């Protein structure tokens, strides 16, 4: 029994050394890309839910923009949270890297799927990028929160 515990501790220390020996920038980038996949999957699910909600309203076109902005904010929150949980680096570093990766994907997608429809102004786009940064930072801070379990006292209540 103690031998198995010793092996598991050795394996844990090997894994910890392997993680520590990696380049921190590469580790952060790898975690950000994994978190991007998680957040894009959640964005897809949120879009399905919001389209069902919008179709049940009187004016589905009018509900599309607020629901889209809400999805963007929730997705960036999830991306920052996931990056922090996957990388265990500082929350500021995790939040900035996740917002950079998410903003890059949004920029590329907007260039690929450009249509002549009602669009946001440049100021509104800049404000949305700021919201992506802030909510990614908030998600990383929430991902850094650790709960401390309280120990029970040794004496019993009578």
């Amino acid at each position: 029994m103690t031998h198995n515990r010793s092996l598991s501790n050795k394996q844990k220390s090997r894994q910890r050394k392997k993680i520590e020996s990696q380049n921190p920038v590469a580790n952060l980038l790898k975690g950000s890309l994994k978190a991007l996949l998680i957040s894009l999957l959640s964005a897809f699910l949120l879009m399905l839910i919001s389209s069902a909600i919008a179709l049940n309203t009187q004016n589905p076109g009018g509900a599309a923009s607020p629901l889209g902005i809400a999805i963007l904010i929730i997705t960036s929150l999830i991306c920052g949270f996931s990056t922090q949980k996957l990388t265990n680096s500082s929350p500021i570093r995790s939040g900035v890297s996740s917002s950079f990766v998410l903003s890059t994907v949004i920029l590329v997608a907007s260039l690929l799927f450009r249509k002549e429809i009602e669009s946001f102004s440049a100021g509104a786009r800049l404000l949305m990028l700021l919201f992506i940064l802030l909510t990614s930072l908030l998600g990383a801070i929430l991902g850094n929160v650790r709960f401390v379990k309280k120990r029970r006292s040794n004496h019993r209540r009578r």
Side-chain angles (χ1 to χ4, degrees):
M1 180 106 175
T2 58
H3 183 67
N4 288 339
R5 185 180 297 167
S6 173
L7 287 177
S8 67
N9 287 338
K10 285 181 184 178
Q11 290 172 347
K12 287 180 183 178
S13 66
R14 286 181 190 153
Q15 289 175 349
R16 188 176 301 125
K17 285 180 184 177
K18 183 180 177 183
I19 291 171
E20 289 173 354
S21 68
Q22 291 177 350
N23 187 359
V25 175
N27 188 25
L28 187 64
L29 184 64
K30 189 185 305 183
S32 295
L33 292 176
K34 287 179 185 177
L36 178 69
L37 291 176
I38 292 169
S39 63
L40 289 178
L41 179 65
S42 65
F44 178 73
L45 293 174
L46 288 170
M47 282 193 306
L48 288 176
I49 293 169
S50 66
S51 64
I53 291 170
L55 287 175
N56 288 326
T57 61
Q58 294 290 336
N59 184 9
S65 286
L67 288 173
I69 292 170
I71 290 171
L72 180 65
I73 290 172
I74 293 170
T75 301
S76 63
L77 186 74
I78 291 170
C79 191
F81 183 86
S82 301
T83 302
Q84 177 60 34
K85 287 295 185 182
L86 290 171
T87 61
N88 283 332
S89 63
S90 74
I92 294 174
R93 216 178 280 160
S94 297
V96 169
S97 69
S98 65
S99 67
F100 176 74
V101 169
L102 187 63
S103 297
T104 305
V105 168
I106 290 170
L107 175 69
V108 169
S110 69
L111 291 175
L112 290 176
F113 302 112
R114 189 169 198 107
K115 296 231 176 178
E116 295 299 324
I117 58 173
E118 194 175 304
S119 182
F120 294 109
S121 66
R125 288 182 191 163
L126 185 64
L127 190 62
M128 281 192 284
L129 289 175
L130 181 66
F131 276 135
I132 289 173
L133 177 65
L134 292 176
T135 54
S136 291
L137 284 172
L138 179 65
I141 290 170
L142 290 175
N144 196 35
V145 172
R146 302 214 191 324
F147 295 104
V148 178
K149 294 181 181 178
K150 294 182 180 179
R151 293 182 142 195
R152 292 186 190 177
S153 61
N154 290 335
H155 66 279
R156 294 182 185 166
R157 291 186 179 178
R158 296 180 190 176

